[in-house]
Amino acid sequence: MDEATLRQLIAGGETPTVEFKSSAARPIDIAERMCGMANNRAGGMIIFGIEDATRAIVGVRQPSLTQDHILRASRMIKPPVSLAETSVQTWLLDGHTLVSVEVPGNSGRLYQYNGACFVRRGTTTVPLSIEEINAFLNAYEPSRWELSIARNTAVEDLDPEALDRYFASRSPESRARQRHSSETEMLIGLKAVADDPQTGEARPTHAGLLMFGYDPQLYLPQSEVVCIKYADTQGIRTYIDRKNFVGTMPELIDKASSFLRQYIRVGATIRGFYREDEPEYPYEALREAVVNAVVHRDYARSGETVRVFLYSDRVEIRSPGALLPGVSLDDLVALRVTSVPRNPVLAGLLRDLPGYMERIGSGIRLMLREMEALGLPPPEFSEHFDFVVTFRNRGKAVEPDGLNERQLKALEMVRVAGSISTSEYCAATGVSPSTGLRDLTELAAHGLLVARGKRRAKRFYLP
């Protein structure tokens, strides 16, 4: 780092990777800040001799003492933070002496100080929660979930046809190499199986079972994907459709994506002599969000599934597990962070199949671009215990009070039977033909049903 870069950092103020100290802090205070930066992938820098609020250059009186405190602080962290010879530097700026320490980025170790694992969030340093620590270990440690042996399984639980489809999609060079390997060697190379340390037998890993298993949800029930279509904005009434999808990871993605495509309403605008379709949401953006949710979720959280909720005004895709430690929502949305998958083995296997992981590291950029192209608000990202992506439509929502109980029943009948006529609706609800036709016509006006045919032959279908 040179003086010009240092001045730029000072002018930019405190950030998730830059912190100011007006004087030589105590080693215990420095250790906490350094621990927080060491647990971030980007690392960080602490500059001593700068006032936080004003960014004024005030300098430190005893630079050698500050350097000593920094080195002591680095050794107080467990494991000790490794500092290079050039990590701690002294500067003379505008007649004042400054000291800086550059904390290296995290490459998989989890650092702790005074019994807590700290992380830098915005311009503050906070301890990681138990859930965040588990997520960190699942993502970075050799014992992570995806490489663990799936209990009570055998190699015979892997579907040979799924493996054949996978190998057929790989490059010719890869297929040539696999001819010289046994099936077990190939599966071990894919990390789809591993030797059971207790029995010595080769058994499927969690990753192998999710990608190639006959029935992954038999052993990993949390891996199913739940999709629900609601008629209102709150999900407080009877749902229109619900599916609990099971299968391998590619099958889950395809089934959830098809569910979304089924319910995306498509309007049309006539421009000149041409008809241009205007979908309610961009399908590619929704599918990308589904791929990310299924691939990057925290599978160690048993009993929790990926959920796709379609309301009348928005689509929510919820994935169990918050962002990995060191990744902030702001950095994610601003595209300032590189893509680091929570489940790199699963991501690598899926990457070999066309149509799933082509946009590595650029999925959010695609979602933003596709929504903008349709004139829709940008997708919203939030996290707590789940990571949630929300897509909003043009605001033509049906409020909970907009539908009566008869109309909700009509939607349920169409979901089961595929369509409904006015006479069938009247027989089921006991209303007059004029009231029945009005109810169904209102549903069509809201975009919840589509009318086909004329007069007595008219039937109503899901859009």
Side-chain angles (χ1 to χ4, degrees):
M1 182 175 67
D2 55 19
E3 181 179 319
T5 303
L6 179 64
R7 289 187 180 275
Q8 289 177 355
L9 292 176
I10 295 171
E14 288 196 334
T15 70
T17 57
V18 177
E19 178 159 344
F20 300 148
K21 292 291 184 185
S22 59
S23 60
R26 297 176 302 169
I28 58 175
D29 294 328
I30 300 174
E32 183 177 302
R33 300 318 193 265
M34 290 181 66
C35 180
M37 290 181 172
N39 281 328
N40 283 1
R41 288 207 304 271
M45 178 173 289
I46 305 174
I47 305 173
F48 297 85
I50 304 294
E51 285 188 349
D52 176 15
T54 64
R55 307 178 195 173
I57 300 173
V58 296
V60 294
R61 294 182 179 180
Q62 297 177 291
S64 59
L65 179 62
T66 302
Q67 292 177 344
D68 180 62
H69 285 182
I70 292 170
L71 296 175
R72 287 174 58 190
S74 69
R75 293 190 292 269
M76 294 166 67
I77 300 168
K78 297 179 181 180
V81 173
S82 178
L83 298 178
E85 291 183 4
T86 57
S87 295
V88 182
Q89 292 184 290
T90 302
W91 308 83
L92 185 62
L93 223 63
D94 300 341
H96 297 283
T97 301
L98 307 181
V99 177
S100 66
V101 55
E102 186 172 359
V103 181
N106 190 288
S107 58
R109 281 184 168 182
L110 185 59
Y111 294 90
Q112 63 170 310
Y113 167 68
N114 197 25
C117 300
F118 291 93
V119 70
R120 183 83 168 168
R121 291 275 168 77
T123 59
T124 60
T125 302
V126 297
L128 291 170
S129 66
I130 295 297
E131 184 196 52
E132 290 172 323
I133 292 173
N134 288 335
F136 191 104
L137 296 177
N138 284 332
Y140 289 110
E141 292 300 306
S143 59
R144 60 176 177 257
W145 182 89
E146 62 177 353
L147 295 181
S148 300
I149 299 291
R151 294 181 179 180
N152 304 318
T153 62
V155 173
E156 290 73 24
D157 291 308
L158 300 182
D159 183 359
E161 292 185 5
L163 287 163
D164 288 342
R165 289 192 297 270
Y166 170 79
F167 285 119
S169 68
R170 303 185 78 179
S171 65
E173 295 82 3
S174 177
R175 291 198 295 271
R177 287 195 299 271
Q178 79 188 49
R179 285 199 297 268
H180 303 289
S181 303
S182 68
E183 180 176 309
T184 301
E185 289 174 331
M186 289 187 296
L187 292 173
I188 290 175
L190 294 173
K191 295 184 173 60
V193 303
D195 291 330
D196 189 329
Q198 295 181 350
T199 64
E201 297 180 49
R203 297 185 184 277
T205 62
H206 288 144
L209 200 61
L210 278 176
M211 281 296 296
F212 308 118
Y214 277 114
D215 186 2
Q217 287 69 39
L218 178 63
Y219 305 98
L220 305 170
Q222 72 269 31
S223 63
E224 71 177 11
V225 176
V226 178
C227 297
I228 304 177
K229 165 66 175 174
Y230 292 106
D232 54 64
T233 62
Q234 304 298 322
I236 61 177
R237 295 289 185 90
T238 303
Y239 54 80
I240 297 172
D241 194 3
R242 174 180 177 136
K243 295 289 191 300
N244 288 32
F245 292 121
V246 298
T248 62
M249 182 175 289
E251 291 172 333
L252 292 172
I253 292 171
D254 291 342
K255 290 175 181 178
S257 300
S258 296
F259 186 91
L260 286 165
R261 185 187 284 278
Q262 174 186 356
Y263 288 110
I264 295 176
R265 293 175 292 185
V266 179
T269 299
I270 304 300
R271 291 185 174 90
F273 295 100
Y274 300 97
R275 177 185 186 272
E276 295 185 8
D277 289 337
E278 293 184 347
E280 184 181 17
Y281 302 99
Y283 171 74
E284 287 299 324
L286 297 182
R287 179 180 171 84
E288 184 67 20
V290 169
V291 171
N292 289 343
V294 172
V295 175
H296 300 311
R297 64 151 292 180
D298 183 357
Y299 281 99
R301 291 170 57 176
S302 59
E304 300 184 38
T305 64
V306 170
R307 287 143 295 155
V308 178
F309 297 144
L310 290 87
Y311 300 94
S312 58
D313 63 340
R314 69 193 185 280
V315 173
E316 291 181 4
I317 299 174
R318 295 176 169 267
S319 178
L323 292 172
L324 291 178
V327 180
S328 70
L329 277 175
D330 291 340
D331 287 341
L332 190 73
V333 175
L335 307 175
R336 290 192 297 262
V337 62
T338 57
S339 176
V340 177
R342 186 191 302 273
N343 304 300
V345 174
L346 288 171
L349 291 170
L350 200 62
R351 192 179 301 135
D352 290 334
L353 299 178
Y356 294 94
M357 294 284 288
E358 286 86 350
R359 304 182 185 90
I360 300 171
S362 61
I364 290 179
R365 185 179 289 108
L366 170 94
M367 296 179 211
L368 293 167
R369 185 176 66 244
E370 291 289 311
M371 291 291 281
E372 181 181 9
L374 287 181
L376 297 170
E380 302 165 12
F381 304 92
S382 60
E383 66 164 336
H384 185 47
F385 293 111
D386 291 344
F387 182 74
V388 184
V389 185
T390 302
F391 300 88
R392 297 191 182 277
N393 59 23
R394 291 178 174 83
K396 298 177 181 178
V398 179
E399 296 300 326
D401 294 336
L403 300 179
N404 58 45
E405 295 297 331
R406 299 190 307 272
Q407 290 171 316
L408 292 172
K409 184 173 182 178
L411 294 173
E412 178 65 17
M413 292 175 64
V414 176
R415 185 187 70 81
V416 174
S419 66
I420 193 173
S421 67
T422 302
S423 59
E424 291 168 344
Y425 176 73
C426 292
T429 59
V431 298
S432 66
S434 59
T435 300
L437 180 60
R438 183 173 65 249
D439 283 353
L440 295 175
T441 302
E442 286 179 359
L443 290 173
H446 286 311
L448 298 174
L449 293 179
V450 174
R452 297 174 186 168
K454 295 182 179 180
R455 297 183 181 178
R456 294 186 178 181
K458 181 182 291 187
R459 297 191 68 84
F460 295 83
Y461 303 79
L462 291 175

